[in-house]
Amino acid sequence: MRYEAKVLSPIGQIELVPVEAADIEEVRQIVGADGGRLIGARLQRNFSGTSWFKQSFDLGVFNQQLLTLLEAGQPITEAISVLRQNDRQSRQKAVYDSLLTALQQGKQLSAAMALLPSVFPQLYVAMVEASETTGTVQTSIRRFMQYQAQSDEIRSKLNAAAIYPAILSLVGFTVIAFLLLYVAPKFSVVFEDMNASKRTAASVVQWWGTLVRTHTALAWGGFIATLLGMAFALFHPALRLLIAQRLRRTPWIGERIQVLQMARLYRTLGMLLNSGISIIAAMRMTTPTLPFGMQPLVTSAMQAVSEGKPLSRAMAEFGLSTDVAQRLTVAGESSGNLGLMLSHIADFFEQETARWLDRTSRLIEPALMVVIGLIIGLVVLMLYSPIFDLGNAI
């Protein structure tokens, strides 16, 4: 969220500063880390001006650099200080200052990260906290980096599968709109001069061309409004959620979405269990990261596990498993390597999703080209067929 903070700066001046944070407490933490004092803050819908977070914090780069320094033998406080000094443009000054201030006060790294929930996810903080008691902070950081890389990989595959059809649809829609809004009105004038209104195709073109010429602003305004509406639906969170819910209800696509969501569930659970977190706590932390439709199911499964049921039975009972996943979960429970087995199940689901995306993209792209080509061909044929008829008549 974005706040407009009223700040008393270190030199005694009152300033209004935009701050990106999860809540008021994080705003206070960010302002205090830079030597200021928070007087008040209010939510801001539009974000403009100079921000304390000029760029979003790159957690992947931070983890890589921090892991390198820790493996080189640097203490955590010294490592954060080195990262702060390396930030020459002071783009993330408030983040490093907040971490250093908390560490110098005697807090653990996880407690310092917990003060900045908009920067460090709850899952990451919990992993670091669990590893601090065993001295395996480096292992937790490396494991979270692997988790991020795997999540980014499947996300990039989804984006790559959607980009080409989206561009093709946009180009096709633009070409069809150009033919209907610009070319058709020109042809309608020609048909009026030729007195060809008795022919069916010519009469349709005349009717449409006259309509567009009479209401030109309305026609082009409708085209622009349609484009803006498509862009709004693509980027608006509520509409995207509604579209996703409708897609989940379709029999073919919904099953694939369910598999992808289960991959995320098992991946997160496996990562947390491997970090030493209990299964109940892992399920509780995983629930908010899942889609709303899956959260009640995970909560019910967590309740069943807390009552003594095995995880494999609880997941299958609430539709959060498949036959293969259930067998692998049972094997993990028997061998004591449940976390590792859950990660293998996530790998299986992600590989299955990747194969489905590859097959689907190979099918959709040519089918979409054929459909768009047929529509454009039909419009062109409707425009030129009256001219051919007149030529044959002569």
Side-chain angles (χ1 to χ4, degrees):
M1 292 184 290
R2 292 162 179 173
Y3 291 87
E4 185 180 59
K6 194 173 184 179
V7 178
L8 179 63
S9 67
I11 60 176
Q13 295 181 349
I14 296 179
E15 302 174 351
L16 292 177
V17 183
V19 180
E20 188 171 341
D23 50 32
I24 295 295
E25 289 301 321
E26 188 175 0
V27 174
R28 183 175 289 106
Q29 178 71 20
I30 294 170
V31 171
D34 202 54
R37 179 181 176 185
L38 181 64
I39 300 175
R42 64 183 180 87
L43 278 173
Q44 208 177 27
R45 289 185 178 271
N46 296 323
F47 190 69
S48 58
T50 303
S51 171
W52 292 50
F53 285 97
K54 296 179 182 179
Q55 291 185 353
S56 58
F57 188 79
D58 194 334
L59 186 57
V61 174
F62 170 81
N63 285 333
Q64 183 64 58
Q65 294 176 344
L66 179 61
L67 180 62
T68 302
L69 291 172
L70 293 178
E71 290 180 341
Q74 292 285 336
I76 291 179
T77 304
E78 292 297 328
I80 299 296
S81 179
V82 170
L83 294 179
R84 169 65 182 86
Q85 295 174 6
N86 191 51
D87 186 22
R88 298 175 181 176
Q89 297 180 355
S90 299
R91 291 177 174 174
Q92 310 298 340
K93 181 175 182 293
V95 175
Y96 294 119
D97 287 346
S98 176
L99 292 175
L100 284 173
T101 300
L103 291 172
Q104 290 168 357
Q105 291 174 353
K107 294 181 179 180
Q108 297 278 9
L109 178 62
S110 59
M113 290 178 171
L115 296 173
L116 301 172
S118 66
V119 177
F120 301 102
Q122 181 186 6
L123 296 176
Y124 185 33
V125 175
M127 290 176 59
V128 174
E129 182 179 5
S131 65
E132 286 171 340
T133 57
T134 58
T136 57
V137 175
Q138 299 175 24
T139 303
S140 292
I141 295 176
R142 190 179 298 107
R143 189 172 289 133
F144 186 80
M145 289 172 59
Q146 182 181 6
Y147 168 78
Q148 273 194 318
Q150 291 165 335
S151 299
D152 292 341
E153 181 180 1
I154 191 66
R155 188 180 296 110
S156 64
K157 289 180 180 179
L158 289 172
N159 292 334
I163 285 175
Y164 183 77
I167 294 176
L168 189 60
S169 300
L170 178 61
V171 172
F173 177 75
T174 304
V175 172
I176 294 170
F178 174 76
L179 291 174
L180 293 177
L181 299 179
Y182 182 79
V183 178
K186 301 293 184 183
F187 272 76
S188 66
V189 176
V190 175
F191 295 154
E192 287 178 357
D193 295 338
M194 291 180 177
N195 194 21
S197 60
K198 292 182 179 181
R199 294 175 176 83
T200 304
S203 62
V204 172
V205 174
Q206 277 187 266
W207 170 79
W208 175 256
T210 303
L211 180 65
V212 173
R213 282 187 284 113
T214 306
H215 307 284
T216 304
L218 182 62
W220 283 99
F223 169 67
I224 296 174
T226 302
L227 287 180
L228 294 177
M230 293 169 60
F232 182 76
L234 183 63
F235 293 104
H236 193 275
L239 291 178
R240 289 173 60 183
L241 178 61
L242 180 61
I243 295 173
Q245 291 175 347
R246 293 297 178 89
L247 288 176
R248 280 197 292 268
R249 295 174 185 173
T250 58
W252 188 49
I253 300 178
E255 294 176 1
R256 296 296 100 194
I257 295 177
Q258 178 74 8
V259 170
L260 184 59
Q261 292 172 348
M262 286 194 298
R264 183 177 181 180
L265 168 63
Y266 281 89
R267 174 74 63 197
T268 308
L269 287 177
M271 178 189 64
L272 293 174
L273 290 178
N274 289 330
S275 298
I277 298 173
S278 66
I279 182 62
I280 300 297
M283 296 180 75
R284 184 180 299 111
M285 286 185 287
T286 302
T287 301
T289 67
L290 300 172
F292 289 108
M294 186 177 283
Q295 290 182 10
L297 300 177
V298 178
T299 302
S300 300
M302 180 179 64
Q303 181 64 29
V305 172
S306 65
E307 293 173 356
K309 287 186 178 181
L311 178 65
S312 56
R313 186 185 305 175
M315 297 292 257
E317 181 179 347
F318 294 98
L320 298 173
S321 181
T322 62
D323 292 338
V324 175
Q326 186 178 10
R327 293 179 183 180
L328 291 176
T329 305
V330 171
E333 291 171 337
S334 302
S335 62
N337 292 324
L338 182 58
L340 180 61
M341 199 59 65
L342 293 180
S343 298
H344 288 331
I345 295 172
D347 291 335
F348 175 78
F349 284 152
E350 290 174 356
Q351 291 170 4
E352 183 179 352
T353 302
R355 289 193 297 269
W356 177 81
L357 284 174
D358 183 59
R359 292 195 301 267
T360 304
S361 61
R362 291 181 181 179
L363 176 64
I364 289 180
E365 291 172 7
L368 192 59
M369 293 180 65
V370 170
V371 171
I372 295 175
L374 287 176
I375 295 175
I376 295 176
L378 180 62
V379 174
V380 172
L381 181 63
M382 184 176 294
L383 294 175
Y384 280 94
S385 61
I387 298 178
F388 296 151
D389 292 340
L390 289 174
N392 292 331
I394 294 173

